[in-house]
């Protein structure tokens, strides 16, 4: 298993963003599991506060931990530069599908 950080410029946010990924060994295709951090955390919280790296050893899946800032992963109704749902669904996950062999 490898830990990767994917950084990309998001059109939805109008800035760069990042997500950490735990990538299993092997050919795939791999199912994708999204781990969303809480309000006061960031995309590095799962590695710092849990033993998440042990879970893909039992079943090979790609773990995606995106940075949601303080957005609740929703598009903000009054701020077009805070479209976190669009960033994740329209930009982040398709980028992961193009980069890794996902299921």
């Amino acid at each position: 298993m490898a830990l990767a950080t994917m950084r990309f410029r998001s059109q939805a946010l109008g800035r760069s963003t990042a997500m950490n990924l735990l990538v299993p060994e092997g050919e795939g295709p791999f199912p994708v599991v999204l781990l969303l951090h809480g309000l006061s955390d960031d995309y590095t919280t799962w590695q710092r506060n849990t033993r998440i790296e042990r879970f893909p050893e039992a079943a090979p899946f790609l773990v995606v931990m995106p940075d949601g800032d303080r957005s609740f992963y929703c598009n903000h109704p009054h701020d077009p530069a805070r479209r976190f749902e669009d960033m994740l669904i329209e930009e982040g996950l398709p980028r992961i599908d193009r980069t890794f062999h996902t299921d």
Side-chain angles (χ1 to χ4, degrees):
M1 175 190 51
L3 172 65
T5 299
M6 180 181 284
R7 298 178 194 283
F8 63 96
R9 174 125 180 102
S10 168
Q11 297 281 337
L13 301 179
R15 62 177 174 87
S16 293
T17 189
M19 55 182 68
N20 280 342
L21 300 99
L22 290 175
V23 183
E25 304 273 335
E27 298 283 323
F30 302 112
V32 176
V33 173
L34 287 173
L35 288 180
L36 307 179
H37 64 75
L39 181 63
S40 63
D41 296 324
D42 66 14
Y43 68 103
T44 65
T45 298
W46 292 102
Q47 289 86 30
R48 290 184 289 115
N49 296 328
T50 70
R51 295 181 185 182
I52 186 59
E53 66 277 355
R54 291 186 179 189
F55 294 117
E57 293 173 0
F61 47 83
L62 183 76
V63 180
V64 178
M65 297 160 280
D67 189 9
D69 199 25
R70 297 175 60 86
S71 69
F72 298 103
Y73 297 92
C74 297
N75 292 341
H76 192 283
H78 305 294
D79 187 351
R82 294 184 52 83
R83 296 178 14 233
F84 282 88
E85 179 182 351
D86 292 348
M87 176 277 295
L88 184 59
I89 302 301
E90 296 175 8
E91 298 173 344
L93 291 177
R95 186 176 299 266
I96 290 165
D97 290 340
R98 288 190 308 269
T99 306
F100 300 97
H101 192 186
T102 58
D103 194 10

